[in-house]
Amino acid sequence: MKMDFIIKNRHLKVIILITNTFCVSLQKYRVWIYAMAYQENMNKPLVSFVITYYNEPIQMLRECIDSIFQLSLNDEEREIILIDDGSDICPLNEITEYRDQLIYLRQNNRGVSEARNMGIQVSNGSYIQFVDSDDCLLAAGYNHCLNMVREHHPDIIVFNSTKEETDVDSPNLFEGPLSGASYMRHHNLRASACGYIFSRKILIDLRFTAGIEYGEDEKFTPQLILRAEQLYHTDTIAYFYRDNPNSVSNKTGEVAINKRLDDSEHVLLYLDHLAAVLPSNERTALERRVAQLSMDYIYNIIRFTHSSKELEERLERLHKRGLFPLPDRDYTPKYRLFSKITRYKTGRKLMMMALRFQ
């Protein structure tokens, strides 16, 4: 009996020893995991700059890259990713001075949406900033945004852009933090994907839609902003936008116009469908954006086609989805006036006549 107890007691001690050893090992493992995660986060760049390029002048690309090097970021905090969307000539041989300081990837010509998706896939930064290769970041304004990133750790910072070629010390006023839904309910959204810096953690599975040439930002940006819990909006001017006559948005001709209008309609219908399944707060925010996009869509039908037949056919499709007539809301004075004019055929005809002579 005594021997049995001793044997059992020894077994118990062994079990306790093994258990304690396991617990200590597990605790050490957890500490190691936390340390590795912390170290990984410390080794990550603060911002990944995703530049999309397609046949733009090399000098513009150089100016774009230079504008990133002028920011208040050291080499460890900065990651530059250049996505070549199948340009006629590879630009890398023309920018040899940057080759060791950026990641260059080339794809067949599949459009800016897939180029940006590739940039997201390979990026390592805690934050992501999209830049078109014919544009530039403005150091004075963008450094203000970087300071906000370091201090507040936001989900998104929305800033202003300009078409003026001057890097001015713009206002550093800001609003926030507020939720993305709250921001969208009270502001007109500037949908350009280059108009904000955002935390990659809120992306999850959100990506740009392949095949959309016009309005890819209009589909992506509202969904991203609705995911933000900590959004800041600043009046600072951080982005210089060049109006490139060779860009996709400036293409003319019947095929290009029809593609533009079809893409816009696709985005409208998608966002309308999405709004219907969102919680009330987010649904109200997205409904405002859908209404404003509907206004822009109707205006572009009139502006680009000058066709009453085309206008009425497209309006009929909107009507079947409950998107026309435009909702009677006081979003902005411009929206209020436009919705009243386009509600009736006479108003639409007058608008078409006015735009025909512009």
Side-chain angles (χ1 to χ4, degrees):
M1 188 73 158
K2 186 176 180 182
M3 184 63 68
D4 288 344
F5 174 75
I6 292 173
I7 292 173
K8 290 177 182 177
N9 195 35
R10 285 177 179 172
H11 288 170
L12 181 62
K13 286 181 179 179
V14 171
I15 291 170
I16 291 172
L17 179 61
I18 292 173
T19 303
N20 287 341
T21 302
F22 174 75
C23 290
V24 171
S25 298
L26 181 60
Q27 183 64 24
K28 288 181 178 178
Y29 178 72
R30 285 174 176 166
V31 171
W32 180 78
I33 288 292
Y34 293 148
M36 290 296 291
Y38 176 77
Q39 186 64 34
E40 182 183 358
N41 190 57
M42 290 296 291
N43 292 336
K44 277 185 177 181
L46 179 62
V47 187
S48 292
F49 297 92
V50 178
I51 305 173
T52 50
Y53 176 84
Y54 180 70
N55 286 342
E56 281 79 25
I58 292 298
Q59 182 57 33
M60 285 187 178
L61 177 59
R62 281 202 181 95
E63 291 173 6
C64 176
I65 297 173
D66 283 340
S67 74
I68 297 173
F69 282 118
Q70 291 169 12
L71 303 176
S72 60
L73 293 166
N74 60 39
D75 292 344
E76 287 72 31
E77 293 177 309
R78 175 186 61 235
E79 179 180 60
I80 302 176
I81 302 168
L82 176 60
I83 308 295
D84 181 355
D85 187 31
S87 295
D88 296 338
I89 300 174
C90 171
L92 205 56
N93 293 330
E94 302 296 328
I95 52 170
T96 54
E97 65 270 35
Y98 305 116
R99 292 178 68 165
D100 296 333
Q101 301 178 78
L102 56 79
I103 299 169
Y104 172 84
L105 295 170
R106 181 180 173 88
Q107 67 176 21
N108 293 330
N109 182 226
R110 299 198 298 267
V112 67
S113 292
E114 295 200 49
R116 286 175 177 163
N117 287 342
M118 181 182 288
I120 291 172
Q121 181 179 346
V122 302
S123 65
N124 298 294
S126 298
Y127 287 82
I128 296 175
Q129 174 67 59
F130 294 116
V131 190
D132 290 339
S133 60
D134 50 356
D135 298 338
C136 295
L137 295 173
L138 301 177
Y142 202 85
N143 284 338
H144 168 60
C145 297
L146 291 174
N147 291 337
M148 293 174 66
V149 165
R150 295 181 178 110
E151 181 177 353
H152 301 290
H153 311 289
D155 293 327
I156 297 181
I157 296 178
V158 180
F159 48 77
N160 287 339
S161 60
T162 181
K163 293 185 178 181
E164 301 295 327
E165 293 191 60
T166 55
D167 188 3
V168 296
D169 191 6
S170 54
N172 289 338
L173 302 175
F174 67 87
E175 174 187 12
L178 63 160
S179 69
S182 177
Y183 175 77
M184 285 179 60
R185 286 200 314 272
H186 300 100
H187 294 80
N188 284 343
L189 190 63
R190 294 188 297 274
S192 169
C194 300
Y196 47 81
I197 179 173
F198 66 94
S199 171
R200 69 178 303 113
K201 69 182 181 183
I202 68 171
L203 265 177
I204 311 176
D205 59 347
L206 180 62
R207 296 294 185 271
F208 291 89
T209 301
I212 296 183
E213 294 182 19
Y214 303 86
E216 67 279 352
D217 293 2
E218 296 287 4
K219 187 175 182 180
F220 177 87
T221 296
Q223 296 182 80
L224 183 70
I225 287 183
L226 284 176
R227 298 178 180 211
E229 296 178 359
Q230 300 284 317
L231 181 147
Y232 288 80
H233 171 231
T234 175
D235 289 333
T236 194
I237 301 173
Y239 193 92
F240 170 47
Y241 170 77
R242 285 190 175 102
D243 191 7
N244 185 350
N246 297 318
S247 68
V248 171
S249 60
N250 286 320
K251 284 184 179 179
T252 57
E254 185 177 350
V255 173
I257 288 172
N258 285 333
K259 174 62 174 169
R260 178 174 188 151
L261 295 177
D262 289 344
D263 282 355
S264 298
E265 186 174 335
H266 163 82
V267 171
L268 268 178
L269 298 183
Y270 176 85
L271 294 179
D272 178 59
H273 175 75
L274 178 62
V277 300
L278 289 176
S280 175
N281 191 36
E282 297 177 2
R283 181 171 64 250
T284 302
L286 192 52
E287 284 175 346
R288 170 174 176 151
R289 186 58 190 161
V290 169
Q292 291 174 314
L293 287 176
S294 299
M295 176 181 71
D296 293 341
Y297 174 61
I298 295 169
Y299 176 82
N300 283 332
I301 298 170
I302 297 172
R303 174 189 171 200
F304 290 124
T305 70
H306 301 294
S307 168
S308 296
K309 181 177 180 292
E310 182 79 15
L311 175 62
E312 298 306 319
E313 287 178 354
R314 290 184 178 270
L315 289 182
E316 179 60 27
R317 292 202 293 269
L318 292 187
H319 178 71
K320 289 179 179 178
R321 289 292 299 264
L323 296 174
F324 186 81
L326 295 176
D328 188 13
R329 299 286 189 273
D330 292 330
Y331 293 138
T332 64
K334 176 184 175 181
Y335 174 87
R336 202 162 51 240
L337 177 62
F338 188 92
S339 63
K340 288 181 178 179
I341 291 176
T342 56
R343 187 172 294 268
Y344 305 102
K345 265 192 174 183
T346 302
R348 298 195 290 270
K349 287 182 178 180
L350 289 173
M351 181 174 290
M352 188 167 292
M353 290 175 61
L355 291 176
R356 189 185 299 274
F357 295 104
Q358 281 192 350

